Amino acid sequence: MFKIEKNENRIERLAPRSFSELGFRERAHLQEWIANQPDALGEELLIIQKEFAGFSDTSERLDLLAIDKQGSLVIVENKLDDTGEM
């Protein structure tokens, strides 16, 4: 990723940084960003529920539940990194 310096007609490479390094958290930040701008995932989605836990056979919860343009349910599971833990 690069930062564009329009007035100087230059670009500057930005150092890669992780979400956790920048202090962002899954629920407080990533989930809210997606809930407020679901097309950031690349398709039109209508978010219908956050933290959905209405299952009868498990106590697990979904981060976001959405519907796409065809009316199909879409499950959004947020992860800030690839450790498999949050």
Side-chain angles (χ1 to χ4, degrees), residues 1 3 6-7 29 44 51-52 59 64 67 74 76:
M1 185 175 292
K3 176 182 175 184
K6 185 177 179 182
N7 294 336
H29 299 104
E44 290 185 44
E51 301 293 323
F52 180 76
S59 61
L64 296 168
I67 298 176
V74 176
V76 179

Side-chain angles (χ1 to χ4, degrees), residues 1-6 9-15:
M1 185 175 292
F2 292 86
K3 176 182 175 184
I4 298 172
E5 295 289 349
K6 185 177 179 182
N9 198 28
R10 300 278 187 253
I11 62 173
E12 174 187 342
R13 183 180 300 273
L14 298 175

Side-chain angles (χ1 to χ4, degrees), residues 7 14 19 36 53 57 60-63 66 72 78:
N7 294 336
L14 298 175
F19 282 134
N36 290 311
D57 294 338
E60 296 291 322
R61 63 163 180 79
L62 302 175
D63 292 333
S72 299
N78 302 316

Side-chain angles (χ1 to χ4, degrees), residues 26-28 31-32 47-55 59-65 76-78:
E26 178 191 322
R27 282 189 199 170
Q31 181 170 295
E32 291 303 312
I47 303 297
I48 57 174
Q49 182 73 44
K50 288 193 262 183
E51 301 293 323
F52 180 76
F55 301 105
S59 61
E60 296 291 322
R61 63 163 180 79
L62 302 175
D63 292 333
L64 296 168
L65 184 61
V76 179
E77 182 66 24
N78 302 316

